[in-house]
Amino acid sequence: MKDARGDYHKGPVTLRGKRVPGSTTDQRLLDNSGDAEWVHSDPWRVMRIQAEFVEGFGALAELGDAVSVFGSARVPREHPTYELGVQLGRGLVEAGFAVITGGGPGLMEAANRGALEAGGASVGLGIELPFEQGLNEYVDLGVNFRYFFARKTMFVKYAQGFVVLPGGFGTLDELFEAVTLVQTRKVTSFPIVLLGCDYWAGLLDWVRGSMLPAGTIGAADLELLHVVDTVDEAVRLVRGSGEDQAARRPE
């Protein structure tokens, strides 16, 4: 991914000028067209993938209770939703959580900013992309990934809940992956909070009005999503769930 200076980051490696590649590592991994050269190179990629998991686990293992916050990279600082993101980061830290974001600009930066200014842990999990900036300036613990699936594992493994601010396709991807993991009991149930009723209302109306009548989801699945309008409500839901999980742990 490129930062504001034009540097291109591939995990821990920085490239400039003519060395900037025309495709991402994920793209090359998933592209199976052309000759059979991938048969000889793909097994070696396993070592690189393994290294990304090791780096992520090592960096985050002692983080403590944390919440992953998702949201658009395209929201400017002067937008009201940016300030909402700052308030969210601050509120989560005051409730005893570290804040994990994708480390980019926009609403990810806003949540990191609120967390850092409140004196808490502000984590950014960056990804190699051809068009977005590097880690924002409010990240005090950053890990850069080549592979989306390694990065997504870190979002889930080290979070006690998700708060989702308004966002685009990437945010929806992260949202529905979290819902699927909870629905299928691949992870311990944790709250998934959508912050911004006006923004999320259309999506929830479609889920209730189309998916539920069609039988593609069950009524209980709707209870996995909590839609709120204030930071206080979002923090209360996450904190309440964390207390419930702690009470269920064996002594």
Side-chain angles (χ1 to χ4, degrees), residues 26-245:
D26 262 330
Q27 182 180 353
R28 292 189 294 276
L29 172 66
L30 298 174
D31 186 0
N32 191 21
S33 60
D35 58 35
E37 179 61 27
W38 64 272
V39 173
H40 307 289
S41 61
D42 274 9
W44 290 102
R45 287 188 175 127
V46 173
M47 304 301 293
R48 179 182 290 170
I49 293 167
Q50 176 180 302
E52 293 214 338
F53 280 107
V54 171
E55 290 287 349
F57 293 154
L60 303 178
E62 299 179 357
L63 184 62
D65 291 345
V67 173
S68 290
V69 177
F70 301 129
S72 175
R74 304 185 183 191
V75 173
R77 291 178 176 178
E78 60 272 15
H79 195 281
T81 309
Y82 183 94
E83 178 57 30
L84 183 68
V86 173
Q87 294 174 12
L88 174 62
R90 183 180 301 119
L92 290 170
V93 166
E94 291 172 350
F97 295 101
V99 171
I100 303 172
T101 79
L107 298 183
M108 292 176 282
E109 175 189 290
N112 284 133
R113 179 174 182 174
L116 189 66
E117 291 178 348
S122 177
V123 180
L125 306 180
I127 185 67
E128 178 192 352
L129 291 175
F131 53 80
E132 289 191 358
Q133 299 176 357
L135 295 176
N136 68 70
E137 62 187 288
Y138 300 102
V139 169
D140 64 358
L141 172 57
V143 184
N144 282 309
F145 293 87
R146 291 182 175 92
Y147 300 101
F148 264 114
F149 51 84
R151 178 185 186 233
K152 287 180 176 181
T153 299
M154 305 305 152
F155 279 131
V156 174
K157 179 172 176 58
Y158 294 102
Q160 279 69 53
F162 284 164
V163 180
V164 189
L165 292 159
F169 289 149
T171 301
L172 291 175
D173 173 51
E174 292 154 344
L175 164 61
F176 282 110
E177 181 166 49
V179 174
T180 301
L181 290 171
V182 174
Q183 179 199 45
T184 56
R185 300 184 183 179
K186 288 294 187 180
V187 297
T188 302
S189 181
F190 50 70
I192 302 168
V193 183
L194 308 180
L195 184 51
C197 292
D198 287 345
Y199 187 85
W200 296 111
L203 174 64
L204 270 294
D205 288 344
W206 177 75
V207 170
R208 293 191 192 96
S210 295
M211 297 180 75
L212 187 60
T216 53
I217 63 169
D221 295 331
L222 290 172
E223 299 176 6
L224 300 177
L225 298 172
H226 306 273
V227 187
V228 300
D229 246 345
T230 69
V231 167
D232 287 344
E233 291 174 292
V235 173
R236 190 181 308 116
L237 282 166
V238 173
R239 183 165 52 190
S241 177
E243 291 171 352
D244 289 344
Q245 290 180 31

Side-chain angles (χ1 to χ4, degrees), residues 4-23:
R5 297 181 299 277
D7 296 348
Y8 188 95
H9 301 284
K10 294 177 62 179
V13 178
T14 298
L15 301 173
R16 293 173 177 159
K18 295 180 180 179
R19 296 184 180 272
V20 175
S23 61

